Amino acid sequence: MSVSELKERHVAATETVNSLRERLKQKRLLLLDTDIAGHARAQGRNPVSFGPTDLVCCRILQGHTGKVYSLDWTPEKNRIVSASQDGRLIVWNALTSQKTHAIKLPCAWVMTCAFSPAGQSVACGGLDSVCSIFNLNSPTDKDGNLTVSRMLSGHKGYVSSCQYVPDEDTHLITSSGDQTCVLWDITTGLRTSVFGGEFQSGHTADVLSVSISGSNSRMFVSGSCDSTARLWDTRVASRAVRTFHGHEGDVNAVKFFPDGNRFGTGSDDGTCRLFDVRTGHQLQVYYQQHGDSEIPHVTSIAFSISGRLLFAGYSNGDCYVWDTLLAEVVLNLGSLQNSHEGRISCLGLSADGSALCTGSWDTNLKIWAFGGHRKVI
């Protein structure tokens, strides 16, 4: 068979696959006769009522001299690690606002950070394509800096996100600009599994975010510049379990719903979306009209402890609190006193759900707590 014949067959096969994909998409749309908000309204459900004093800024963490890019809470709820353009990781006591560690990084271009489940070490990664681990209990060098206890090298592009496997200090998952995710064994410093890359079911552009299921630590979801999110099983690295379409821009953030059966996404297209892991269906779109002005990108998301609230940070400094059931904005932290003066780059909820921390390009982190008579939702 000649090369030209092979090319013709390849083109024909591609057209067939695209046609089948479009037919499948239309079939799925026919099955989606309603969304969560439509069903909830039909049941007479009311949105969560939120006043300006129900979520208040109780702490401002000042110390970074550059844009804050990433943050993470410890499982025991009272410590936060943040990563900034100033080339430092800072570990904060969230109750007192005091810094417990200020770690000067080997590479200043950091993009992500994470606390280990036991809270004894932190991980970070960035444009150096390496994930660095720091043991917070290690002695400092002569200049007072913590030294890197482990360097996880193997990515061929920047490290965009990292997360420890729940209840395991020895394994973490990273995502990268090389279109892959990697499961690492921190003890040996070696890659246990690589997800994507040469495999057909992998992402076709930079992977920007990962989220590991809290109810089944073998499952994780990734978001990418290819406008998709993909579900992976760490036991089967050769193919994604499922691919989720719907976004029309880079998927900057992914986060599992508390029950592990759903996950949320945030994208450059200005929307957050909720997907069902089991059916692959899109359950809800969360979008606020902005008139004729430029649509702000969603940079980061988090769910409340029950899942009834979705916190979403935006590139214009807004931070919406969405009612996930009715797809309505119940509060915009960006409109409150003490709000950030720049892009919201990252946010995260404490383990007990009692406080939200936001990080911004204005170099500050802010802790928001449920105030007044408001209970944690």
Side-chain angles (χ1 to χ4, degrees):
M1 187 179 293
S2 66
V3 174
S4 60
E5 287 176 323
L6 279 173
K7 285 183 177 178
E8 287 176 9
R9 290 183 65 175
H10 180 263
V11 169
T14 302
E15 288 177 354
T16 302
V17 168
N18 290 337
S19 173
L20 289 171
R21 184 178 286 139
E22 187 60 31
R23 284 169 59 189
L24 186 60
K25 183 180 176 181
Q26 296 304 321
K27 288 276 189 184
R28 283 184 178 277
L29 289 173
L30 289 173
L31 292 172
L32 289 173
D33 55 344
T34 187
D35 58 17
I36 289 177
H39 178 71
R41 289 192 183 93
Q43 299 293 315
R45 300 295 290 271
N46 295 317
V48 175
S49 61
F50 245 93
T53 60
D54 285 333
L55 200 58
V56 293
C57 180
C58 61
R59 296 277 188 280
I60 300 177
L61 307 181
Q62 296 176 311
H64 282 299
T65 57
K67 297 172 181 176
V68 176
Y69 284 143
S70 180
L71 68 86
D72 193 28
W73 289 81
T74 49
E76 90 276 7
K77 90 180 182 180
N78 65 352
R79 285 187 298 156
I80 296 167
V81 62
S82 58
S84 166
Q85 192 183 40
D86 61 17
R88 292 184 184 275
L89 294 183
I90 295 181
V91 179
W92 311 81
N93 182 320
L95 301 177
T96 65
S97 305
Q98 297 298 309
K99 306 175 191 68
T100 61
H101 296 81
I103 304 168
K104 188 177 181 181
L105 300 175
C107 171
W109 302 103
V110 63
M111 299 176 71
T112 181
C113 61
F115 246 121
S116 67
Q120 302 302 309
S121 60
V122 291
C124 69
L127 294 185
D128 60 354
S129 306
V130 171
C131 184
S132 302
I133 312 293
F134 294 88
N135 186 333
L136 298 178
N137 298 320
S138 296
T140 57
D141 62 18
K142 64 180 187 303
D143 297 320
N145 296 317
L146 271 182
T147 56
V148 178
S149 60
R150 178 71 71 187
M151 296 185 76
L152 307 178
S153 303
H155 278 300
K156 296 174 183 175
Y158 62 87
V159 176
S160 56
S161 179
C162 62
Q163 185 184 348
Y164 279 85
V165 175
D167 302 321
E168 286 188 45
D169 274 30
T170 56
H171 292 88
L172 64 73
I173 293 175
T174 55
S175 63
S176 171
D178 64 11
Q179 306 181 10
T180 71
C181 300
V182 172
L183 173 65
W184 300 88
D185 185 326
I186 298 172
T187 307
T188 63
L190 300 176
R191 292 178 288 185
T192 301
S193 303
V194 179
F195 307 89
E198 71 271 20
F199 298 117
Q200 286 293 313
S201 65
H203 285 293
T204 56
D206 302 16
V207 188
L208 300 177
S209 54
V210 291
S211 177
I212 305 171
S213 172
S215 58
N216 179 1
S217 60
R218 292 189 296 267
M219 309 300 291
F220 75 94
V221 66
S222 57
S224 167
C225 290
D226 63 13
S227 303
T228 71
R230 296 179 196 238
L231 179 70
W232 302 89
D233 186 325
T234 55
R235 297 164 296 184
V236 187
S238 59
R239 60 184 173 84
V241 176
R242 198 183 290 278
T243 300
F244 299 83
H245 299 272
H247 281 295
E248 297 174 4
D250 299 358
V251 179
N252 297 318
V254 290
K255 197 73 176 178
F256 262 100
F257 199 74
D259 67 1
N261 292 324
R262 286 160 280 272
F263 69 90
T265 55
S267 168
D268 274 0
D269 63 16
T271 69
C272 298
R273 296 172 191 248
L274 187 66
F275 293 94
D276 190 297
V277 167
R278 297 161 297 184
T279 65
H281 285 161
Q282 177 180 288
L283 301 175
Q284 189 63 56
V285 179
Y286 304 94
Y287 177 68
Q288 185 80 338
Q289 293 289 342
H290 288 87
D292 297 329
S293 60
E294 187 177 344
I295 297 171
H297 303 162
V298 183
T299 61
S300 48
I301 61 170
F303 288 102
S304 66
I305 203 159
S306 70
R308 182 64 192 267
L309 301 177
L310 169 64
F311 304 95
Y314 293 80
S315 57
N316 65 350
D318 283 337
C319 184
Y320 289 155
V321 182
W322 289 93
D323 182 325
T324 54
L325 198 58
L326 292 168
E328 294 181 15
V329 176
V330 295
L331 187 66
N332 177 12
L333 299 183
S335 66
L336 301 183
Q337 195 174 13
N338 290 328
S339 61
H340 285 289
E341 296 175 3
R343 175 190 183 105
I344 305 288
S345 52
C346 51
L347 53 78
L349 207 69
S350 62
D352 64 352
S354 64
L356 174 77
C357 185
T358 54
S360 168
W361 281 12
D362 66 9
T363 75
N364 296 326
L365 295 102
K366 303 195 178 203
I367 299 176
W368 308 79
F370 290 94
H373 300 291
R374 166 65 65 188
K375 293 180 179 178
V376 176
I377 299 176

